[in-house]
Every structure is written in C-alpha cells, then in structure tokens.
Amino acid sequence: MLLPSLRHVVVCGCRGAVRGYQFGNRTPLRQWVVRRGQSTVVAEAGSAQTATGTAVPNAATNRIVGRWLVGCSGLVLGAVVLGGVTRLTESGLSMVDWHLVKEMKPPQTQAEWEAEFSKYQQFPEFKIMNHDMTLTEFKFIFYMEWGHRMWGRLVGLAYILPTMYFWKKGYFNRSMKARVLGLCGFVFFQGLLGWYMVKSGLEEKPESYDIPRVSQYRLASHLGSALLLYSASLWTGLTLLLPPNKFPDTKRVLQLRRFAKGTGALVFLTALSGAFVAGLDAGLVYNSFPKMGELWIPDDLLAFSPTLKNIFENPTTVQFDHRILL
C-alpha cells in the first residue's frame, strides 16, 4: 500500500516540475520574440492581401466608381446635345483637319485665322453654299465645331485618367475591368467615327450640285454609338450605386421589364431615324402636319428602287418613318 502511494507522488511531482520548468522558462525576452514573430506573420499577410488587391473593391470604392461612371454618362449626354447644336448651326464641316493635339489650340492671330479660312474655302461647303461667307461668320462656325471636339476630348480624359487611377488602386474586380476597358474602347471608337463622318462631307462630288452634307449612315452611327456609350455608363454606374431590387419575379414585374426594354429600343430607333432626317435634310421636304402636303401618305414614298433603299435614302420616306415613330 505504501509503495503504490509513493510511486504516485513521485510521478505527479515530476510532471509538475516539467510544467513549472516550461512556464518558468518563458522569460520576458522569450515572450517578446514570440510576439514579434506573430506580429511579423500578421503584417506579411496584411501586406500580401493589399498587394493582391483582395482588400478592395468594397462598398465604399463601388460608390466612388459608380459616381464616376454616372458623371461620365452626363458628359456623354452633353456631347450629344452639343453635337445637335453644331448640326443646327451647320458648323460641322468648318474644321477640315483632324489632329488629336494640334487642333486643341484654335487660331490666335489674324494670319492664322486667314490660313484656316483659306483651307475651308477649298472644300464643297464653301464653294456651293457659303461662297459669300465672311471671316467673322467663319469664326462662329469654327468655334462651334471646335467646342464640340474639345468636349469630346474632355469625355475621353474623364474616362481614361480615372480608369488608370482606379485600376492601380485595385478598385475594379475582374468583371468591372472588362466593362471599363470596353467603355474606354468605345470612347476611342466614337472619336474616330466622328472624324469618319465629317470626312464624308468634305469629299468632292463633281456629278452632284446638291448641298454638301455628311453621310446619313455615318451620322446615325455616330449618334447611335454615343447613345450606347451613355446608356452603358449610366447603367453600370447605377448598378454600383443602387442595391439590387428585391421585387419578386411575378408575372406583372416581368411584363413591366419587357415593356421597359421595348420602350427603350423604340426610343433608340426613333433617335436613329432622326439622324437620318438630319443627314438628308428630310425635315425640309414637307413642313405641314399631320398631313404631308395634301396627303396622309405621299405619292413619292416608294419612289426609289429597290424598295428597301427608300427607308434610308428617300427624304420623303425618312421623314414619314420618323413621324410615325414619334
């Protein structure tokens, strides 16, 4: 009986001594080293997380990107309005060159204005329509087109510079990177398409004595691409700013969505038909409403052959289609 009790006391004492040694061996220096190693691991993990960009995007950065895209959509809308004013003042063909940087500075001296006016005089619009235009009148249309082009450059900078900054800061996830690259590419395409459109109005057409104008196809493409850029930027921005709707997918909600999509498509088609009206000066063919002249349906509605050509090139048909859409 005494021997087993003595054995139990010895074993327990050895275990306690070992635990005491281990606990007592943790000197302040040893504890500082342990804490230092733990903090280093945490710091390295945090820096790796920041370097890989996993800490962003978040709700705050999404709001910043969303506001930026909504602001860009407003600039695009301003460009569309300014383009319409340029069209109404017939200023679009006043600048016969296209230089990305050089033309940012308008003529300053009298000699520079006369040189610019001399270049304009070599093209059909001056020869056929504006042959009695003065230098003062030319300055007005020049500044209108110059303002439109400079606004376009502002739109480009508003997309590209923040994109570079947000990309570097890690504000974009993979999906948003693809969307933003698409929007920036669309801005470049829009600028090139604008010059391609203007170029069509500067071409010499010896067989035609009609008023020089840009191609209605290129004008509609220029306007349509601007509207797509506006819609895509606004939609993406609002997606980031507004929480997803929590409406159940009931039959009425689905019908409303289809109706909204159909209405949007109809508005877009109406805007494009307006571009064809502007490109062909079709609004000047009939100036009575609701009838076109004395008839509800004009006789020359299908005067061109083949029939499909009337929809895009017959001024009467183009005006008629635009009225119907409105």
Side-chain angles (χ1 to χ4, degrees), residues 68-69 72 159 163 176-189 228-234 236-237:
W68 162 59
L69 289 175
C72 286
Y159 275 93
T163 294
M176 188 56 61
K177 286 180 179 179
R179 294 184 185 184
V180 170
L181 285 178
L183 292 175
C184 291
F186 223 91
V187 172
F188 277 108
F189 173 75
L228 289 176
L229 178 62
Y230 163 76
S231 302
S233 301
L234 181 62
T236 306

Side-chain angles (χ1 to χ4, degrees), residues 196-244:
Y196 183 62
M197 175 194 70
V198 171
K199 190 176 179 181
S200 66
L202 301 175
E203 298 172 351
E204 294 278 358
K205 299 176 182 178
E207 73 283 356
S208 176
Y209 294 95
D210 197 6
I211 296 175
R213 57 173 67 95
V214 299
S215 166
Q216 68 272 24
Y217 296 102
R218 300 183 191 185
L219 177 60
S221 300
H222 189 49
L223 175 62
S225 62
L227 293 177
L228 289 176
L229 178 62
Y230 163 76
S231 302
S233 301
L234 181 62
W235 181 271
T236 306
L238 292 179
T239 301
L240 295 173
L241 288 174
L242 302 178

Side-chain angles (χ1 to χ4, degrees), residues 9 56 146 151 191 202 264 278 293 302:
V9 170
V56 288
W146 179 81
W151 191 277
L202 301 175
L302 300 176

Side-chain angles (χ1 to χ4, degrees), residues 11 13 50 52 69 72 78 83 92 106 114 117 121 127 152 177 185 192 212 217 234 257 262 273 277 294 303 313:
V11 171
T50 304
T52 56
L69 289 175
C72 286
E114 290 178 354
F117 190 32
Q121 292 172 345
K127 295 177 181 178
K177 286 180 179 179
L192 293 175
Y217 296 102
L234 181 62
R257 288 176 179 171
S273 72
V277 171
E294 299 296 328
E313 299 183 14

Side-chain angles (χ1 to χ4, degrees), residues 147-181:
H148 181 51
R149 295 192 187 188
M150 290 303 297
W151 191 277
R153 284 168 173 78
L154 175 63
V155 172
L157 292 177
Y159 275 93
I160 296 168
L161 295 183
T163 294
M164 296 170 61
Y165 175 78
F166 293 148
W167 194 298
K168 184 177 180 181
K169 299 290 286 186
Y171 285 14
F172 301 142
N173 57 25
R174 181 175 297 181
S175 174
M176 188 56 61
K177 286 180 179 179
R179 294 184 185 184
V180 170
L181 285 178

Side-chain angles (χ1 to χ4, degrees), residues 138-149:
F138 171 73
K139 287 182 180 181
F140 171 77
I141 64 172
F142 183 93
Y143 272 124
M144 290 299 302
E145 175 63 11
W146 179 81
H148 181 51
R149 295 192 187 188

Side-chain angles (χ1 to χ4, degrees), residues 1-120:
M1 185 70 182
L2 180 61
L3 185 60
S5 301
L6 182 60
R7 185 186 303 169
H8 178 72
V9 170
V10 171
V11 171
C12 291
C14 291
R15 289 178 179 175
V18 171
R19 291 194 188 98
Y21 173 78
Q22 291 176 346
F23 179 80
N25 196 39
R26 289 188 179 179
T27 62
L29 178 61
R30 179 180 177 83
Q31 293 175 1
W32 177 84
V33 171
V34 172
R35 288 197 299 269
R36 178 74 176 181
Q38 292 174 346
S39 62
T40 302
V41 172
V42 172
E44 289 177 352
S47 62
Q49 185 181 28
T50 304
T52 56
T54 55
V56 288
N58 51 44
T61 60
N62 283 343
R63 284 194 297 271
I64 295 174
V65 174
R67 290 168 183 167
W68 162 59
L69 289 175
V70 171
C72 286
S73 70
L75 289 176
V76 174
L77 182 61
V80 172
V81 173
L82 188 56
V85 175
T86 303
R87 175 66 191 177
L88 290 175
T89 56
E90 298 181 341
S91 306
L93 301 178
S94 59
M95 297 181 69
V96 298
D97 295 322
W98 192 86
H99 301 285
L100 185 60
V101 178
K102 183 180 177 181
E103 70 181 22
M104 293 177 66
K105 181 181 178 181
Q108 301 293 316
T109 64
Q110 182 70 14
E112 290 177 349
W113 275 113
E114 290 178 354
E116 197 69 37
F117 190 32
S118 178
K119 288 192 293 184
Y120 174 70

